[in-house]
Amino acid sequence: MLLLDNTGIINEILSSRKSRLQWWREARYGLFIHWGLYAVAGGVWNNSMIPGVGEWIMFMEKIPVKTYRELAKLFNPVEFDPKEWARIAKESGFKYLVITAKHHDGFCLFDSSLTNYNVVSSTPFGRDVIKEVTQAFKSEGIKVGFYYSQTLDWFHKDALGNEWDYDPWSKNFRRYFYEYSIPQVIELIKKYDPDIMWFDIGCPTHDYARDLRIEIHKANPNIIVNGRIDPWTIRYDFLISKDFRYLCRRGIMFGDYLELHDNTIPPYTLECDWEVPITHNGTWGWRSWDHEWRSTGKLLQTLITVVSRNGNLLINTGPTPTGKIPHESLTMFLEIGSWLKKNGESIYGTYAAPIDTPSSTIYKLTYRPCKSKEDEIYVHLIGWPWNGQLRIYNILQKFDVGEAYVLETMQALNMKKSGNDLVIEGLPYSPINRLVTVLKLEAQPKEV
Ligand code: H79
């Protein structure tokens, strides 16, 4: 057997990580789209509402492949308009997209030469969704990522997950992985030129993750790979060690950034690049009966909280079987989009502020270090000071604050010192922005 020495390429993957991630770090806000045959089922099977997320319906109901695949004949989204999706995303302030090229059900939303179980060959619709979406989003200047289920595939007899159609003891996972999974990832890269490859359930072992990562890097070294390419244990290692760089140095972390668990916002700042995918209703793939929508305010607060802790937010929507983005998503996205038009500089390209803030405050801080001039600190008022006075805790320990003003109106604000705290005075009695008002501080780091 030929033993390959991969040290060189692995070092290259690790050493180019920082530059690869540059745009991604600035982006902060991404749109996640879950779309596939599960949207046709819409969370209903045999006239019953099926609990659990929509895209897991095949698994929840142990639907045989030969039955589930019939949904392909019903996939005909006549209202699908990728340019409209891209315009909405642009208006909403999203800087990148991640869309399901293949979810766990194994159905491919792209024209694959490795299987006919794809949107072009098996549906009356017959159009290459991934191709059209990618083109539309890229022409709006939005980066594009593909979700690809590399470990679970309930359609493929050798992949993990489907034990109701296929005997688990007869599976040859290795064959699936090297002859189907990796080739499809490379096919996606060669055909559609994505900016991100996004994996969900980790590879079963480090060896699989390493081999997949190396092939991606060889196909295009600029592609960003999310942290869930790695086996699940990595995330637990991380939570124990809290040191991402340590895992990278050990060469056991092949993702470029840490992916938090679904819908899980860490309660503190993480000193590494990280992202969290969230839903704003009860599912990822569309369910006809799901009305548990979160509010715009809640969503915006989540975005601010994530960025104030150094992360990126990937917010999901599940288009309907006819190809429309649900109007509840649309309304919320556009509301946040118009907030971002006025306040976006407090989100894009900002980081956690290096200031100890008590958890009970009514504000969150984001921070832009500026080499050539003063640093910028943004105060996101998720509540409102009832007496017109706002105390920013501990800020004077690290910074001298020159000026403070309301970002949207440029209205200057008075300040006074109180120990290490800064007290901002003369705020009006009600919020300036109905959602979140942002104050901007010009701050000079103190010499230590
Ligand atoms: O794509 C979305 C989910 O389908 C996927 N991650 C996001 C981005 C995901 N895959 N696996 N998991 C989440 C974890 C699996 C949880 C499960 Fe269950 C618990 C599978 C079966 C029980 C959740 C609850 C899914 C069905 C019921």
Coordinates of all heavy atoms in Angstrom, one line a residue, residues 97-159:
L97 N -24.6 33.1 1.5 CA -25.7 32.1 1.5 C -25.1 30.7 1.7 O -24.0 30.5 1.2 CB -26.4 32.2 0.1 CG -27.3 31.0 -0.2 CD1 -28.7 31.2 0.5 CD2 -27.5 30.9 -1.7
V98 N -25.9 29.9 2.4 CA -25.6 28.5 2.4 C -26.8 27.8 2.1 O -27.9 28.0 2.7 CB -25.0 28.0 3.8 CG1 -24.8 26.5 3.8 CG2 -23.8 28.7 4.2
I99 N -26.8 27.0 1.0 CA -28.0 26.3 0.6 C -27.8 24.8 0.5 O -26.7 24.3 0.2 CB -28.5 26.8 -0.8 CG1 -29.8 26.2 -1.3 CG2 -27.4 26.8 -1.9 CD1 -30.5 26.8 -2.4
T100 N -28.8 24.0 0.8 CA -28.7 22.6 0.8 C -28.6 22.0 -0.7 O -29.5 22.0 -1.4 CB -30.0 21.9 1.4 OG1 -31.1 22.5 0.8 CG2 -30.0 22.1 2.9
A101 N -27.3 21.6 -1.0 CA -27.1 20.9 -2.3 C -27.6 19.5 -2.2 O -28.2 18.9 -3.1 CB -25.6 21.0 -2.7
K102 N -27.3 18.9 -1.0 CA -27.8 17.6 -0.7 C -28.0 17.5 0.8 O -27.1 17.7 1.6 CB -26.9 16.5 -1.1 CG -27.5 15.1 -0.9 CD -26.4 14.0 -1.2 CE -25.7 13.6 0.1 NZ -24.8 12.4 0.0
H103 N -29.2 17.2 1.3 CA -29.5 17.0 2.7 C -29.4 15.5 3.0 O -29.1 14.7 2.1 CB -30.8 17.7 3.2 CG -30.8 18.0 4.6 ND1 -31.3 17.1 5.6 CD2 -30.3 19.1 5.3 CE1 -31.1 17.7 6.8 NE2 -30.6 18.9 6.7
H104 N -29.8 15.2 4.2 CA -29.7 13.7 4.6 C -30.5 12.8 3.8 O -30.3 11.6 3.7 CB -30.0 13.6 6.1 CG -29.3 14.5 7.1 ND1 -28.0 14.9 6.9 CD2 -29.7 15.0 8.3 CE1 -27.7 15.7 7.9 NE2 -28.7 15.8 8.7
D105 N -31.6 13.3 3.2 CA -32.5 12.4 2.4 C -31.8 12.0 1.1 O -32.3 11.2 0.3 CB -33.8 13.1 2.1 CG -33.7 14.3 1.2 OD1 -32.6 14.7 0.8 OD2 -34.8 14.9 0.9
G106 N -30.6 12.6 0.8 CA -29.8 12.2 -0.4 C -30.2 12.8 -1.7 O -29.5 12.6 -2.7
F107 N -31.3 13.6 -1.7 CA -31.8 14.1 -3.0 C -30.9 15.3 -3.4 O -30.7 16.2 -2.5 CB -33.3 14.5 -2.9 CG -33.8 15.1 -4.1 CD1 -34.1 14.3 -5.2 CD2 -34.0 16.5 -4.3 CE1 -34.6 14.8 -6.4 CE2 -34.5 17.0 -5.5 CZ -34.8 16.2 -6.5
C108 N -30.5 15.4 -4.6 CA -29.5 16.4 -5.0 C -30.3 17.5 -5.7 O -31.0 17.3 -6.7 CB -28.5 15.9 -5.9 SG -27.5 14.6 -5.2
L109 N -30.1 18.8 -5.2 CA -30.7 19.9 -5.9 C -29.8 20.4 -7.0 O -30.0 21.5 -7.5 CB -30.8 21.0 -4.8 CG -32.2 21.2 -4.1 CD1 -32.2 22.5 -3.4 CD2 -33.4 21.0 -5.0
F110 N -28.8 19.6 -7.4 CA -28.0 20.0 -8.5 C -27.9 18.9 -9.5 O -28.3 17.7 -9.2 CB -26.6 20.4 -8.1 CG -25.8 19.3 -7.3 CD1 -24.8 18.6 -8.0 CD2 -26.2 18.9 -6.0 CE1 -24.1 17.5 -7.3 CE2 -25.5 17.9 -5.4 CZ -24.5 17.2 -6.0
D111 N -27.4 19.2 -10.7 CA -27.3 18.2 -11.8 C -26.1 17.3 -11.6 O -25.0 17.7 -11.9 CB -27.3 18.9 -13.1 CG -27.3 18.0 -14.3 OD1 -27.6 16.8 -14.1 OD2 -27.0 18.4 -15.4
S112 N -26.2 16.1 -11.0 CA -25.1 15.3 -10.6 C -24.9 14.2 -11.6 O -25.8 13.5 -12.0 CB -25.3 14.7 -9.2 OG -24.2 13.9 -8.9
S113 N -23.6 14.0 -12.0 CA -23.3 12.9 -12.9 C -23.2 11.6 -12.1 O -23.0 10.5 -12.7 CB -22.0 13.2 -13.7 OG -21.0 13.2 -12.7
L114 N -23.3 11.7 -10.8 CA -23.1 10.4 -10.0 C -24.4 9.8 -9.6 O -24.4 8.7 -9.1 CB -22.3 10.7 -8.7 CG -20.8 10.9 -9.1 CD1 -20.3 12.3 -8.7 CD2 -20.0 9.8 -8.4
T115 N -25.5 10.5 -9.8 CA -26.8 9.9 -9.5 C -27.9 10.6 -10.3 O -27.8 11.8 -10.6 CB -27.2 10.0 -8.0 OG1 -28.5 9.4 -7.8 CG2 -27.2 11.4 -7.5
N116 N -29.0 9.8 -10.6 CA -30.1 10.4 -11.3 C -31.1 11.0 -10.2 O -32.1 11.6 -10.6 CB -30.9 9.3 -12.1 CG -30.2 9.1 -13.4 OD1 -29.5 9.9 -13.9 ND2 -30.4 7.9 -13.9
Y117 N -30.8 10.7 -9.0 CA -31.7 11.2 -7.9 C -31.4 12.6 -7.7 O -30.9 13.0 -6.7 CB -31.4 10.3 -6.7 CG -32.5 10.5 -5.6 CD1 -33.9 10.4 -5.9 CD2 -32.2 10.7 -4.3 CE1 -34.8 10.5 -4.9 CE2 -33.1 10.8 -3.3 CZ -34.5 10.7 -3.6 OH -35.4 10.8 -2.7
N118 N -31.7 13.4 -8.7 CA -31.4 14.8 -8.7 C -32.5 15.6 -9.4 O -33.3 15.1 -10.1 CB -30.0 15.1 -9.3 CG -30.0 15.0 -10.8 OD1 -30.7 15.7 -11.5 ND2 -29.1 14.1 -11.3
V119 N -32.5 16.9 -9.1 CA -33.6 17.8 -9.5 C -33.7 17.8 -11.1 O -34.9 18.0 -11.5 CB -33.4 19.2 -8.9 CG1 -32.1 19.9 -9.5 CG2 -34.6 20.1 -9.1
V120 N -32.6 17.7 -11.8 CA -32.7 17.8 -13.2 C -33.3 16.5 -13.8 O -34.2 16.6 -14.7 CB -31.3 18.2 -13.8 CG1 -31.4 18.2 -15.4 CG2 -30.9 19.5 -13.3
S121 N -32.8 15.4 -13.3 CA -33.2 14.1 -14.0 C -34.5 13.5 -13.4 O -35.1 12.7 -14.1 CB -32.1 13.0 -13.7 OG -30.8 13.5 -14.1
S122 N -34.9 13.9 -12.2 CA -36.0 13.1 -11.6 C -37.2 14.0 -11.3 O -38.2 13.4 -10.7 CB -35.5 12.5 -10.2 OG -34.5 11.6 -10.4
T123 N -37.2 15.2 -11.7 CA -38.4 16.0 -11.3 C -39.0 16.6 -12.6 O -38.3 16.8 -13.6 CB -38.1 17.2 -10.4 OG1 -37.4 18.2 -11.1 CG2 -37.3 16.8 -9.2
P124 N -40.3 16.9 -12.6 CA -40.9 17.6 -13.7 C -40.4 19.0 -13.9 O -40.4 19.5 -15.0 CB -42.4 17.6 -13.4 CG -42.5 17.4 -11.9 CD -41.3 16.6 -11.5
F125 N -39.8 19.5 -12.9 CA -39.3 20.9 -12.9 C -38.0 20.9 -13.8 O -37.9 21.8 -14.7 CB -38.9 21.3 -11.5 CG -38.5 22.7 -11.4 CD1 -39.4 23.7 -11.8 CD2 -37.3 23.1 -10.8 CE1 -39.1 25.1 -11.6 CE2 -37.0 24.5 -10.6 CZ -37.9 25.4 -11.0
G126 N -37.1 20.0 -13.6 CA -36.0 19.7 -14.5 C -34.9 20.8 -14.6 O -34.1 20.8 -15.4
R127 N -35.0 21.8 -13.7 CA -34.0 22.9 -13.7 C -33.0 22.7 -12.6 O -33.3 22.2 -11.6 CB -34.7 24.3 -13.5 CG -35.3 24.8 -14.9 CD -36.3 25.9 -14.6 NE -35.9 27.0 -13.9 CZ -36.7 28.0 -13.5 NH1 -38.0 28.0 -13.7 NH2 -36.2 29.0 -12.8
D128 N -31.8 23.1 -12.9 CA -30.7 23.0 -11.9 C -30.7 24.1 -10.9 O -30.3 25.2 -11.1 CB -29.3 23.0 -12.7 CG -28.1 22.7 -11.8 OD1 -28.3 22.9 -10.5 OD2 -27.1 22.2 -12.3
V129 N -31.4 23.8 -9.8 CA -31.6 24.9 -8.7 C -30.3 25.5 -8.2 O -30.2 26.7 -8.1 CB -32.4 24.2 -7.6 CG1 -32.5 25.2 -6.4 CG2 -33.8 23.9 -8.0
I130 N -29.3 24.6 -7.9 CA -28.1 25.1 -7.4 C -27.4 26.0 -8.4 O -26.8 27.1 -8.0 CB -27.2 23.9 -7.0 CG1 -27.8 23.2 -5.8 CG2 -25.7 24.3 -6.7 CD1 -27.9 24.0 -4.5
K131 N -27.4 25.6 -9.6 CA -26.7 26.5 -10.6 C -27.4 27.9 -10.7 O -26.7 28.9 -10.7 CB -26.8 25.8 -12.0 CG -26.2 26.5 -13.1 CD -26.3 25.7 -14.4 CE -26.0 26.6 -15.6 NZ -26.4 25.9 -16.8
E132 N -28.7 27.9 -10.8 CA -29.4 29.1 -10.9 C -29.3 30.0 -9.7 O -29.1 31.2 -9.8 CB -30.9 28.9 -11.2 CG -31.1 28.2 -12.6 CD -32.6 28.2 -13.0 OE1 -33.4 29.0 -12.5 OE2 -32.9 27.3 -13.8
V133 N -29.4 29.4 -8.5 CA -29.3 30.1 -7.3 C -27.9 30.7 -7.2 O -27.7 31.9 -6.8 CB -29.6 29.3 -6.0 CG1 -29.2 29.9 -4.7 CG2 -31.1 28.9 -6.0
T134 N -26.9 29.9 -7.4 CA -25.5 30.4 -7.3 C -25.2 31.6 -8.2 O -24.7 32.6 -7.8 CB -24.5 29.2 -7.7 OG1 -24.8 28.1 -6.8 CG2 -23.1 29.6 -7.5
Q135 N -25.7 31.5 -9.5 CA -25.5 32.6 -10.4 C -26.2 33.8 -9.9 O -25.6 34.9 -9.9 CB -26.1 32.2 -11.8 CG -25.1 31.4 -12.7 CD -25.8 30.9 -13.9 OE1 -27.0 31.0 -14.1 NE2 -25.0 30.2 -14.7
A136 N -27.4 33.7 -9.5 CA -28.2 34.9 -9.1 C -27.6 35.5 -7.8 O -27.4 36.8 -7.8 CB -29.6 34.4 -8.7
F137 N -27.2 34.7 -6.9 CA -26.6 35.3 -5.6 C -25.2 36.0 -5.9 O -24.9 37.0 -5.4 CB -26.5 34.3 -4.5 CG -27.8 34.2 -3.8 CD1 -28.9 33.6 -4.4 CD2 -27.9 34.7 -2.5 CE1 -30.1 33.4 -3.7 CE2 -29.1 34.6 -1.8 CZ -30.2 33.9 -2.4
K138 N -24.4 35.3 -6.7 CA -23.1 35.8 -7.0 C -23.2 37.2 -7.8 O -22.5 38.1 -7.6 CB -22.3 34.8 -7.8 CG -21.7 33.7 -7.0 CD -20.6 33.0 -7.7 CE -20.0 32.0 -6.7 NZ -18.9 31.2 -7.4
S139 N -24.2 37.2 -8.7 CA -24.3 38.5 -9.4 C -24.9 39.6 -8.5 O -24.7 40.8 -8.8 CB -25.1 38.4 -10.7 OG -26.2 37.6 -10.5
E140 N -25.4 39.3 -7.3 CA -25.7 40.4 -6.3 C -24.6 40.6 -5.4 O -24.7 41.4 -4.4 CB -27.0 40.0 -5.5 CG -28.3 40.0 -6.3 CD -28.8 41.4 -6.5 OE1 -28.2 42.4 -6.2 OE2 -29.9 41.5 -7.1
G141 N -23.4 39.9 -5.6 CA -22.3 40.1 -4.8 C -22.3 39.4 -3.5 O -21.6 39.7 -2.5
I142 N -23.2 38.4 -3.4 CA -23.3 37.6 -2.2 C -22.5 36.3 -2.4 O -22.6 35.6 -3.4 CB -24.8 37.3 -1.9 CG1 -25.5 38.6 -1.7 CG2 -25.0 36.3 -0.7 CD1 -27.0 38.5 -1.6
K143 N -21.7 35.9 -1.4 CA -20.9 34.7 -1.5 C -21.9 33.5 -1.3 O -22.9 33.6 -0.7 CB -19.9 34.6 -0.3 CG -18.9 35.8 -0.3 CD -17.8 35.6 -1.2 CE -16.7 36.7 -1.1 NZ -15.6 36.6 -2.0
V144 N -21.4 32.3 -1.9 CA -22.3 31.2 -1.9 C -21.7 30.0 -1.3 O -20.5 29.6 -1.6 CB -22.8 30.9 -3.3 CG1 -23.6 29.6 -3.4 CG2 -23.6 32.0 -3.9
G145 N -22.4 29.3 -0.4 CA -21.9 28.1 0.2 C -22.9 26.9 0.0 O -24.1 27.2 -0.2
F146 N -22.3 25.7 -0.1 CA -23.2 24.5 -0.3 C -23.2 23.7 1.0 O -22.1 23.3 1.5 CB -22.7 23.7 -1.5 CG -22.8 24.4 -2.8 CD1 -21.9 24.1 -3.8 CD2 -23.8 25.4 -3.0 CE1 -22.0 24.8 -5.0 CE2 -23.9 26.1 -4.2 CZ -22.9 25.8 -5.2
Y147 N -24.4 23.4 1.5 CA -24.6 22.4 2.5 C -24.5 21.0 1.8 O -25.2 20.8 0.8 CB -26.0 22.6 3.1 CG -26.4 21.5 4.1 CD1 -26.5 21.9 5.5 CD2 -26.7 20.2 3.7 CE1 -27.0 20.9 6.4 CE2 -27.1 19.3 4.6 CZ -27.2 19.6 6.0 OH -27.7 18.7 6.9
Y148 N -23.7 20.1 2.3 CA -23.6 18.8 1.7 C -23.6 17.8 2.8 O -22.7 17.8 3.7 CB -22.4 18.7 0.8 CG -22.4 17.3 0.1 CD1 -23.0 17.1 -1.1 CD2 -21.7 16.3 0.7 CE1 -23.0 15.8 -1.7 CE2 -21.6 15.0 0.1 CZ -22.3 14.8 -1.1 OH -22.3 13.6 -1.7
S149 N -24.5 16.9 2.8 CA -24.5 15.8 3.9 C -23.6 14.7 3.4 O -24.0 13.8 2.6 CB -26.0 15.3 4.0 OG -26.0 14.3 5.0
Q150 N -22.4 14.7 4.0 CA -21.4 13.8 3.6 C -21.4 12.5 4.3 O -20.8 11.5 3.8 CB -20.0 14.5 3.7 CG -19.3 14.3 5.0 CD -19.8 15.2 6.1 OE1 -21.0 15.6 6.1 NE2 -19.0 15.5 7.1
T151 N -22.0 12.4 5.4 CA -22.0 11.2 6.2 C -23.3 10.5 6.2 O -23.4 9.3 5.9 CB -21.6 11.5 7.7 OG1 -20.4 12.2 7.7 CG2 -21.6 10.3 8.6
L152 N -24.4 11.2 6.5 CA -25.7 10.6 6.4 C -26.3 10.7 5.0 O -26.1 11.8 4.3 CB -26.7 11.3 7.3 CG -26.5 11.3 8.8 CD1 -27.6 12.0 9.5 CD2 -26.3 9.9 9.3
D153 N -26.9 9.7 4.5 CA -27.6 9.7 3.2 C -28.6 8.6 3.2 O -28.2 7.4 3.1 CB -26.6 9.6 2.0 CG -27.2 9.8 0.6 OD1 -28.4 9.3 0.5 OD2 -26.6 10.4 -0.2
W154 N -29.8 8.9 3.4 CA -30.8 7.8 3.5 C -31.2 7.2 2.2 O -32.0 6.2 2.2 CB -32.1 8.4 4.2 CG -31.8 9.1 5.5 CD1 -30.9 8.7 6.5 CD2 -32.4 10.3 6.1 NE1 -30.9 9.5 7.6 CE2 -31.8 10.5 7.3 CE3 -33.3 11.2 5.6 CZ2 -32.1 11.6 8.1 CZ3 -33.7 12.3 6.4 CH2 -33.1 12.5 7.6
F155 N -30.7 7.7 1.1 CA -31.0 7.1 -0.2 C -29.9 6.1 -0.6 O -30.3 5.1 -1.2 CB -31.1 8.3 -1.2 CG -31.4 7.8 -2.6 CD1 -32.7 7.5 -3.0 CD2 -30.4 7.7 -3.6 CE1 -33.1 7.1 -4.2 CE2 -30.8 7.3 -4.9 CZ -32.1 7.0 -5.2
H156 N -28.7 6.4 -0.2 CA -27.6 5.5 -0.6 C -27.4 4.3 0.3 O -27.3 4.5 1.5 CB -26.3 6.4 -0.6 CG -25.2 5.8 -1.5 ND1 -24.6 4.6 -1.1 CD2 -24.6 6.2 -2.6 CE1 -23.7 4.4 -2.0 NE2 -23.7 5.3 -2.9
K157 N -27.3 3.2 -0.3 CA -27.3 1.9 0.6 C -26.1 1.8 1.4 O -26.1 1.1 2.5 CB -27.5 0.7 -0.3 CG -26.4 0.3 -1.2 CD -26.7 -1.0 -1.9 CE -25.6 -1.4 -2.9 NZ -24.2 -1.2 -2.5
D158 N -25.0 2.4 1.0 CA -23.7 2.3 1.8 C -23.5 3.4 2.8 O -22.5 3.4 3.6 CB -22.5 2.2 0.9 CG -22.5 0.8 0.2 OD1 -22.8 -0.2 0.9 OD2 -22.1 0.7 -1.0
A159 N -24.3 4.5 2.7 CA -24.1 5.6 3.6 C -24.7 5.3 5.0 O -25.5 4.3 5.1 CB -24.7 6.9 3.0

